[in-house]
Amino acid sequence: MTSADAVSRAASGAKEVRRLDRVIIRFAGDSGDGMQLTGDRFTAETASFGNDLSTLPDFPAEIRAPAGTLPGVSSFQLHFADHDILTPGDAPDVLVAMNPAALKANVGDLPHGAEIIVDADEFTGRAVRKVGYDGDPLEDGSLDGYRVHPVPLTTLTVEALKEFDLSRKEAERSKNMFALGLLSWMYHRPTEGTEKFLTTKFARKPVVAAANIAAFRAGWNFGETTEDFAVSYEIAPAATAFPTGTYRNISGNLALAYGLVTASRQADLPLFLGSYPITPASDILHELSKHKNFGVRTFQAEDEIAGIGAALGAAFGGSLAVTTTSGPGVALKSETIGLAVSLELPLLIVDIQRGGPSTGLPTKTEQADLLQAMFGRNGEAPVPVVAPRTPADCFDAALEAARIALTYRTPVMLLSDGYLANGSEPWHIPELDELPDLTVRFAQGPNHTRDDGTEVFWPYKRDPRTLARPWAVPGTPGLEHRIGGIEKQDGTGNISYDPANHDFMVRTRQAKIDGIVVPDIEVDDPDGARTLVLGWGSTYGPITAAVRRLRAAGESIAQAHLRHLNPFPADLGDVLARYERVVVPEMNLGQLAMLLRARYLCDVRSFTQVNGMPFKAEQLARMVEEALRED
């Protein structure tokens, strides 16, 4: 907008509208303040408007921490723009803090000059002292470096809802909608979707629905009329960021659930999920339980062991079998995963990684289960490992994991994490003809002829191309065979204690995994760099953003990202050998770096972080820049 436009608006009494290319907003409050719902609704309207976006929900680990305390703070960060973006952003431009605890927990992340909107009603002497402030931060000058807007959100919300038959406490619960309305006005977000959502969500409580809508509209009107907010902002749709197609906003867990349903349809197999609820994987169980119309059966077992046991039984019975969990659950499932290796049945083990060890950080993110996925079983029990890189990519990763499991008759580990699971971004909905054909052929009759001419079924007679054994559905006449965890005789599947046979079977199972066909690794190297930044999983966004910053500053740097961690792409060794430096950022203590050093004798430089939060792009840019300066 030109200065003349601004003068014209001022003369007419209209508020100034500034155009931005991007903004980062963080909503923060008690876990009972509805910050996740507020962030979800703002995100949904932003997606419908056509911006590119990336989100970072951050939950407290406690189920219900004491109100107004630092451990109880829940936040939701959204980065949206008129161009392609990759991360939820390093530092918020706007913080909405519903109480002193939310302010104190988040103010350290704000850059100088950021806007802070606080519920001034919550800044009582007791609430301020509870979180360790010596005085009221709204009055002691400690926030002078920011643009602070003390708004009596609670009072304004209660006043807006006085016509409803609600107690004060009930009315106060709608203050998150007042805040959402205010932010929706500030950033010109659509409102129809939120009002329709509230009507549907509280359909059985029409008074509550009407009250929330009234609070939402009151927040919008407050922004329009108050003198404290003299400027609103426009962020144009990201028209050039996306190829033509149909898009929707999607979280990683939802994309993964949709990918599993799609895989079962493409394979023409019923989908069975055997699972035990665990953060942050439970949403997949919740979502799949809604899709019985697609042949999905979900079984909430009494524990992790029963969940995978039921899933393996479903695989034996001819289903696309899945079990979902997080790191502690993988530990409990390890014996049955080994059994699946021995039985050579397709089984998907979805591990939504979180901070560990033990119970660790249930609501935080980490990438520390890679070595467990690779080696966390007794004996030589190799398992393919696949890792998505973005929330939307979880859909494709689920299809790829299913392809490998069904083609090679093997359990497959799919390693997502809490950052991907709860974060969201636009997803390009694929056309049906773009989906892979995963059709499976079950064994139908004898497959081996003995020396005397008798035709029999050998359950471990292998496909010479894939080394996969036949998949025989129980009850098929003539295909009876033994099943169990004791070593099998090659071909016949009979119990065998023969040393030579065991050696052969161990090497054959390993050869089957080593022979899995995966795409070559894609290297982004526009100008023949000497340094390669290599990542896996959810580090893709921060790494790519950091590489873009370094290239914009004139640095020559290459980037590659691994989806297949076992087996590695066939050309990975040659790619690593081309570079003088290989930098591997990970949210663990260097697990991929250890594997690369052992496999390729490559002097990998490991950058690690295990604080429960994703990398920041600026942080990685500094780390890589330091590596570039080293001899």
Side-chain angles (χ1 to χ4, degrees):
M1 184 173 65
T2 66
S3 57
D5 292 332
V7 170
S8 176
R9 281 181 173 274
S12 65
K15 293 189 176 184
E16 179 185 351
V17 179
R18 294 178 186 169
R19 292 180 181 172
L20 304 175
D21 63 350
R22 53 177 287 276
V23 72
I24 303 166
I25 298 173
R26 183 182 296 175
F27 299 93
D30 269 332
S31 57
D33 283 338
M35 294 296 93
Q36 302 306 320
L37 174 62
T38 305
D40 283 340
R41 288 314 312 159
F42 196 94
T43 300
E45 299 300 349
T46 297
S48 70
F49 188 73
N51 295 118
D52 194 12
L53 61 89
S54 180
T55 68
L56 177 61
D58 188 18
F59 310 93
E62 289 80 1
I63 294 175
R64 191 66 176 95
T69 63
L70 293 175
V73 173
S74 174
S75 68
F76 188 105
Q77 183 165 306
L78 166 67
H79 181 193
F80 61 103
D82 65 2
H83 57 277
D84 175 35
I85 58 173
L86 298 155
T87 74
D90 289 355
D93 303 302
V94 181
L95 171 66
V96 179
M98 305 299 278
N99 59 24
L103 175 65
K104 186 163 189 179
N106 292 281
V107 69
D109 293 336
L110 301 180
H112 183 82
E115 286 197 270
I116 302 176
I117 301 170
V118 299
D119 183 358
D121 291 329
E122 293 294 321
F123 280 72
T124 63
R126 180 182 179 186
V128 165
R129 290 191 298 272
K130 183 185 287 189
V131 296
Y133 281 120
D134 295 328
D136 188 344
L138 303 183
E139 298 177 354
D140 63 10
S142 60
L143 301 178
D144 287 349
Y146 310 101
R147 291 176 289 163
V148 182
H149 303 276
V151 179
L153 290 174
T154 302
T155 298
L156 290 171
T157 302
V158 172
E159 179 66 20
L161 303 185
K162 63 182 180 181
E163 65 183 78
F164 294 91
D165 185 20
L166 298 171
S167 67
R168 180 179 177 86
K169 185 175 182 180
E170 289 172 330
E172 288 178 1
R173 291 175 183 160
S174 297
K175 67 180 181 179
N176 64 321
M177 288 296 105
F178 188 102
L180 178 60
L182 173 58
L183 269 292
S184 297
W185 171 83
M186 284 182 65
Y187 291 97
H188 295 247
R189 299 297 91 185
T191 60
E192 295 82 2
T194 293
E195 293 191 9
K196 183 178 180 181
F197 167 83
L198 291 171
T199 300
T200 303
K201 180 177 177 64
F202 298 108
R204 296 183 180 180
K205 300 178 179 179
V207 173
V208 175
N212 276 281
I213 292 172
F216 176 67
R217 291 174 177 174
W220 176 284
N221 293 333
F222 178 78
E224 183 71 34
T225 58
T226 183
E227 295 182 1
D228 195 30
F229 293 91
V231 179
S232 63
Y233 304 92
E234 286 184 349
I235 296 91
T240 61
F242 307 115
T244 302
T246 303
Y247 290 81
R248 62 156 291 169
N249 183 53
I250 200 165
S251 68
N253 273 353
L254 183 57
L256 209 158
Y258 285 177
L260 294 173
V261 175
T262 303
S264 75
R265 303 293 286 184
Q266 292 302 105
D268 195 22
L269 297 175
L271 177 64
F272 180 90
L273 174 68
S275 184
Y276 180 75
I278 183 172
T279 302
S282 299
D283 286 341
I284 302 173
L285 170 61
H286 300 160
E287 181 62 32
L288 289 179
S289 67
K290 302 174 184 178
H291 297 293
K292 296 180 178 65
N293 57 315
F294 288 117
V296 178
R297 292 184 180 180
T298 54
F299 171 57
Q300 181 174 320
E302 67 268 28
D303 56 38
E304 296 281 5
I305 298 171
I308 190 173
L312 185 56
F316 178 60
S319 293
L320 176 60
V322 184
T323 188
T324 53
T325 189
S326 190
V330 175
L332 292 167
K333 295 178 189 291
S334 61
E335 183 179 7
T336 307
I337 297 173
L339 176 59
V341 171
S342 175
L343 299 181
E344 301 189 48
L345 286 171
L347 174 66
L348 302 185
I349 304 102
V350 178
D351 177 6
I352 312 297
Q353 299 167 94
R354 72 190 204 189
S358 188
T359 309
L361 305 175
T363 60
K364 308 299 180 182
T365 194
E366 207 164 87
Q367 286 183 299
D369 294 350
L370 176 56
L371 294 183
Q372 179 178 223
M374 289 286 292
F375 308 116
R377 295 161 295 282
N378 64 294
E380 295 287 347
V383 170
V385 181
V386 175
R389 64 185 187 178
T390 69
D393 188 48
C394 289
F395 177 86
D396 296 318
L399 286 170
E400 175 63 0
R403 178 192 73 85
I404 293 173
L406 295 172
T407 302
Y408 296 90
R409 309 288 198 267
T410 177
V412 177
M413 295 285 297
L414 196 160
L415 293 183
S416 179
D417 61 42
Y419 174 36
L420 296 183
N422 297 315
S424 63
E425 65 175 353
W427 171 50
H428 182 201
I429 301 174
E431 299 294 334
L432 289 177
D433 58 7
E434 297 172 348
L435 299 172
D437 181 3
L438 302 178
T439 304
V440 174
R441 292 186 61 186
F442 292 113
Q444 298 297 324
N447 62 356
H448 182 75
T449 304
R450 291 175 174 162
D451 293 340
D452 62 3
T454 305
E455 291 186 340
V456 296
F457 174 67
W458 274 15
Y460 282 82
K461 185 169 185 176
R462 301 180 183 278
D463 182 314
R465 181 179 62 87
T466 64
L467 298 182
R469 78 174 187 88
W471 193 0
V473 176
T476 305
L479 303 190
E480 298 85 355
H481 60 281
R482 292 182 176 87
I483 206 78
I486 295 178
E487 185 61 279
K488 318 294 185 299
Q489 184 182 56
D490 177 41
T492 69
N494 295 332
I495 293 174
S496 173
Y497 296 99
D498 178 63
N501 178 77
H502 177 58
D503 183 274
F504 177 80
M505 293 294 279
V506 168
R507 295 182 186 276
T508 300
R509 287 189 290 262
Q510 183 65 57
K512 180 174 70 170
I513 304 306
D514 293 341
I516 292 173
V517 177
V518 302
D520 287 345
I521 188 169
E522 295 182 6
V523 181
D524 177 18
D525 187 359
D527 53 6
R530 297 164 57 192
T531 298
L532 171 69
V533 182
L534 179 66
W536 70 277
S538 67
T539 57
Y540 172 78
I543 289 174
T544 306
V547 167
R548 286 182 180 178
R549 294 187 187 194
L550 291 169
R551 288 177 179 170
E555 299 288 357
S556 176
I557 190 164
Q559 179 192 358
H561 210 77
L562 288 169
R563 162 170 282 176
H564 298 90
L565 297 155
N566 191 36
F568 287 129
D571 65 335
L572 180 57
D574 294 336
V575 168
L576 296 176
R578 295 205 303 260
Y579 294 92
E580 295 179 11
R581 301 181 189 88
V582 178
V583 177
V584 179
E586 298 181 77
M587 292 188 295
N588 55 46
L589 295 183
Q591 296 186 15
L592 175 61
M594 180 188 301
L595 294 174
L596 295 176
R597 291 185 188 115
R599 177 73 178 271
Y600 301 106
L601 302 180
C602 175
D603 185 18
V604 173
R605 304 187 184 202
S606 184
F607 291 155
T608 63
Q609 173 177 294
V610 282
N611 62 6
M613 298 297 289
F615 281 110
K616 295 180 177 179
E618 182 60 32
Q619 170 193 9
L620 282 182
R622 288 197 307 268
M623 290 179 175
V624 176
E625 190 173 27
E626 291 174 3
L628 292 171
R629 300 289 175 261
E630 295 177 5
D631 293 331

